[in-house]
Amino acid sequence: MTLLPYRRAGRSGLDLSAFSFGLWQKFGTDYAYETQREIVLHAFDLGITHFDNADRYGPPHRAAQQFFGTVLKRDLAPHRDELILSTKAGNPIGPGPYQRGASRKSLLGSLDQSLRDLGTDYVDIFYSHSPDLTTPLDETVSALAAAVQQGKALYAGISNYPADRAHEIAGLLRRAGVPLLVHQPRYSIFDRRPELTGLLEVAEEDGFGLVVYSPLAQGLLTDKYLDGVPAGARAQNSAFLSPDVIDETYRERITGLNKLAAQRGQSLAQLALQWVLRRPEVTSALIGASSTEQLDHNVKALDFAPLTDDELAVVDKYGVHGTGLRL
Ligand SMILES: NC(=O)c1ccc[n+]([C@@H]2O[C@H](COP(=O)([O-])OP(=O)(O)OC[C@H]3O[C@@H](n4cnc5c(N)ncnc54)[C@H](OP(=O)(O)O)[C@@H]3O)[C@@H](O)[C@H]2O)c1
């Protein structure tokens, strides 16, 4: 197996591969098993050892984890000690009161079901998927800590929490003896919230790592939409990326970024991935892919010289926060 660089998650003892692979889109029963299997195994062959899941991922909900459980059983079981498996709970997966939110009942119930889906005794990282303002933070912390203390997870994580709440939960978890390992926010050239809201500083201060999701803005930060929406692209077939965002403003910005990437001898996707990994607070870039070719292409992002200050200024000129984002 080729080894990608590993990066330390905050001030923990855990290293993660510089790229992590997520099964949010195009994994589940609506897609061909062999294609999904090939992508996951290819990611592993490229040195991606961190696989990110959630009870919600599918369609239908839980199907992505059940798929991964099958691959784990048939192909990856001998490598379990090389893998970092993550799951999350708390975003809605049904109408019931325990199928959403960050209560102890919801989080621990979902985790038990996720372990059954994945066919494993433990996950490496268990996340509270989103903040839940109706549940006391102490209760959420008690659930994350219990997951670790019961041996069902090795580490605790949070996702989508704003900087102030992340700081608060990091303190509570520390006092519970289960330090916060990672936070999973969205971060890309087009989503600057971790910079704008102080999350990068909180990560440094509290000693947790950032596993940043959608670093390609779901594909918007590649060259695929320069001339419209190609058949099969996410903007054509996903509820999470509307073709409406591909307008003149978007195209102008993407053209500027694409030109910069070409001057550096790389693609826009590679530039965008290198850009998020330039920050030491970022432990891993959490990517998706609909083909093995995309993975081969994207992991090469690490082969290029660091971005200079002048190049970063060009990224800032075209990388306007909010471009292409609806959610
Ligand atoms: N915590 C949360 O709330 C949360 C939310 C969202 C995501 N996540 C996690 O983050 C993971 C990654 O999210 P994401 O899929 O949005 O990440 P992304 O890396 O920004 O987007 C991946 C998509 O971009 C397109 N793409 C990738 N490489 C390409 C290339 N070289 N050229 C052209 N197109 C390319 C592909 O879409 P198409 O080919 O299909 O167009 C691919 O599926 C998820 O799977 C999930 O694990 C977490």
Side-chain angles (χ1 to χ4, degrees):
M1 187 176 83
T2 325
L3 279 188
L4 277 179
Y6 280 79
R7 293 159 69 107
R8 184 56 57 104
R11 288 192 287 279
S12 74
L14 185 73
D15 293 334
L16 294 180
S17 46
F19 290 112
S20 303
F21 186 75
L23 285 87
W24 176 38
Q25 303 255 335
K26 299 201 176 167
F27 290 88
T29 46
D30 285 5
Y31 306 100
Y33 173 81
E34 272 312 320
T35 310
Q36 299 172 60
R37 172 179 174 268
E38 193 189 3
I39 292 172
V40 164
L41 296 184
H42 196 68
F44 184 61
D45 285 343
L46 288 171
I48 296 176
T49 50
H50 178 207
F51 290 90
D52 183 73
N53 245 305
D55 54 5
R56 254 178 83 80
Y57 295 172
H61 296 325
R62 296 206 167 276
Q65 291 198 149
Q66 288 159 357
F67 151 75
F68 195 91
T70 305
V71 174
L72 185 62
K73 188 172 162 194
R74 292 185 186 161
D75 299 291
L76 289 174
H79 302 283
R80 178 65 186 95
D81 59 350
E82 296 170 63
L83 295 172
I84 298 291
L85 304 185
S86 298
T87 190
K88 316 183 203 75
N91 282 5
I93 54 166
Y98 318 127
Q99 293 179 303
R100 62 189 61 227
S103 70
R104 201 175 159 94
K105 175 76 176 167
S106 297
L107 292 182
L108 293 176
S110 169
L111 175 58
D112 281 343
Q113 183 60 48
S114 292
L115 293 176
R116 287 193 285 274
D117 290 343
L118 291 163
T120 185
D121 294 341
Y122 71 97
V123 288
D124 295 274
I125 310 173
F126 179 51
Y127 286 93
S128 163
H129 205 152
S130 293
D132 169 7
L133 299 179
T134 69
T135 297
L137 217 44
D138 281 336
E139 182 173 335
T140 302
V141 165
S142 85
L144 291 172
V148 173
Q149 285 150 356
Q150 292 168 7
K152 294 174 181 172
L154 299 186
Y155 298 94
I158 55 172
S159 179
N160 299 309
Y161 279 62
D164 55 348
R165 227 166 152 76
H167 175 62
E168 211 179 328
I169 207 166
L172 290 167
L173 278 167
R174 198 179 305 122
R175 287 192 281 287
V178 181
L180 179 62
L181 178 79
V182 279
H183 183 310
Q184 193 179 120
R186 189 167 67 182
Y187 185 42
S188 75
I189 288 173
F190 285 159
D191 187 344
R192 303 298 190 91
R193 276 176 307 175
E195 294 168 6
L196 298 170
T197 62
L199 184 61
L200 296 176
E201 287 76 10
V202 169
E204 164 58 25
E205 181 187 338
D206 285 314
F208 57 81
L210 297 175
V211 173
V212 300
Y213 74 79
S214 299
L216 297 175
Q218 300 198 57
L220 292 177
L221 284 162
T222 71
D223 57 12
K224 77 187 313 165
Y225 297 114
L226 274 171
D227 300 313
V229 180
R234 193 181 291 188
Q236 196 194 47
N237 57 28
S238 166
F240 295 96
L241 185 63
S242 162
D244 301 350
V245 301
I246 297 163
D247 57 14
E248 260 325 292
T249 309
Y250 161 77
R251 234 187 291 277
E252 201 182 298
R253 292 173 184 162
I254 215 77
T255 303
L257 291 168
N258 196 48
K259 200 167 143 203
L260 173 66
Q263 283 161 2
R264 287 174 45 79
Q266 61 186 168
S267 72
L268 175 51
Q270 290 164 342
L271 171 85
L273 294 172
Q274 219 190 337
W275 184 86
V276 293
L277 286 167
R278 84 200 185 287
R279 296 287 316 205
E281 302 88 345
V282 173
T283 308
S284 186
L286 175 50
I287 56 175
S290 60
S291 68
T292 55
E293 289 76 20
Q294 288 177 354
L295 282 172
D296 284 331
H297 181 88
N298 295 350
V299 297
K300 292 201 182 90
L302 298 172
D303 295 348
F304 297 89
L307 291 146
T308 65
D309 288 347
D310 286 348
E311 289 168 341
L312 289 170
V314 177
V315 172
D316 285 344
K317 178 175 169 199
Y318 296 109
V320 179
H321 173 72
T323 308
L325 302 180
R326 283 284 162 77
L327 298 171

